[in-house]
């Protein structure tokens, strides 16, 4: 999953990651956090959020972080590291907290990643609350990177999940003044893409601010 999505971001949306604060909501194993910093070392800060009640995510995160540090330490020692950005693992953070609660008290960020999360919000009111909170926490020129289960996914037979087509996903996000930046990608039984705040909505936010 990560290779496909990272390649997509590098191909079409790399400019959004320069000196950016990236928030990964529902980050699960935290592997994507590490993958992002490997792909975009110019990121200022990568933050992972998830409800880690049994401590397994934090445990996995510490292992991944340790491997990451060793890998880049070896590259630097061989003098083959050609990027000028300092490899600083303090730029990767994980917080054990629910998504909605975290969104209540943060400053706006440049990039929000919502990967394999939205399809768990089958309740329309809960989904509406989540998406409104996300939009309120994206900087005016920031992006939402969203990945969901498609109608080809086994979740289509699970009433507790919601699945999407390319059309229904874009239609839903458009309701929240989000505009698709490149065609939606299909990856097996999942679909993903990048959205920005629509220009009119950005103007309204600037006036309010």
């Amino acid at each position: 999953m990560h290779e496909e999505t990272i390649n997509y971001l590098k191909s079409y949306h790399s400019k959004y990651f320069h000196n950016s604060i990236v928030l990964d909501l529902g980050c699960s194993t935290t592997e994507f956090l590490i993958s992002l910093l490997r792909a975009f070392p110019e990121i200022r800060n990568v933050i992972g959020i998830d409800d880690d009640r049994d401590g397994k995510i934090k445990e996995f995160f510490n292992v991944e972080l340790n491997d990451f540090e060793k890998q880049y330490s070896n590259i630097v020692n061989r003098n083959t590291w050609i990027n000028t950005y300092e490899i600083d693992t303090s730029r990767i953070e994980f917080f054990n907290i629910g998504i909605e609660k975290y969104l209540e008290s943060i400053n706006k960020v440049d990039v929000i990643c919502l990967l394999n999360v939205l399809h768990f919000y089958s309740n329309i009111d809960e989904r509406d609350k989540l998406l409104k909170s996300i939009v309120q926490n994206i900087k005016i020129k920031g992006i939402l990177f969203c990945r969901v289960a498609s109608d080809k996914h086994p979740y289509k037979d699970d009433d507790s999940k919601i699945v999407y087509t390319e059309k229904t996903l874009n239609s839903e996000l458009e309701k929240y003044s989000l505009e698709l930046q490149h065609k939606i990608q299909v990856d097996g039984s999942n679909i993903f893409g990048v959205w920005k705040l629509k220009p009119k909505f950005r103007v309204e936010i600037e006036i309010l601010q």
Side-chain angles (χ1 to χ4, degrees), residues 119-120 122 149-164 189:
H119 45 243
F120 292 108
S122 58
S150 76
D151 57 351
K152 305 292 192 300
H153 198 284
Y155 284 165
K156 68 182 185 298
D157 299 318
D158 187 341
D159 292 338
S160 68
K161 312 288 192 307
I162 180 172
V163 295
Y164 292 88
S189 59

Side-chain angles (χ1 to χ4, degrees), residues 17 20-27 32-33 36 43 45-50 93 95 97 99 102-103 106-115 133-134 137-138 143-145:
F17 293 89
S20 62
I21 297 175
V22 180
L23 180 60
D24 186 6
L25 299 175
C27 64
F32 189 65
L33 304 179
L36 273 177
I43 287 175
N45 197 207
V46 184
I47 305 165
I49 304 299
D50 215 329
E93 301 177 85
F95 293 101
I97 187 173
I99 292 173
Y102 185 80
L103 288 173
I106 67 167
N107 295 321
K108 292 180 185 294
V109 298
D110 302 285
V111 178
I112 291 184
C113 299
L114 191 68
L115 308 184
S133 295
I134 286 173
N137 284 290
I138 299 176
I143 60 171
L144 167 67
F145 177 41

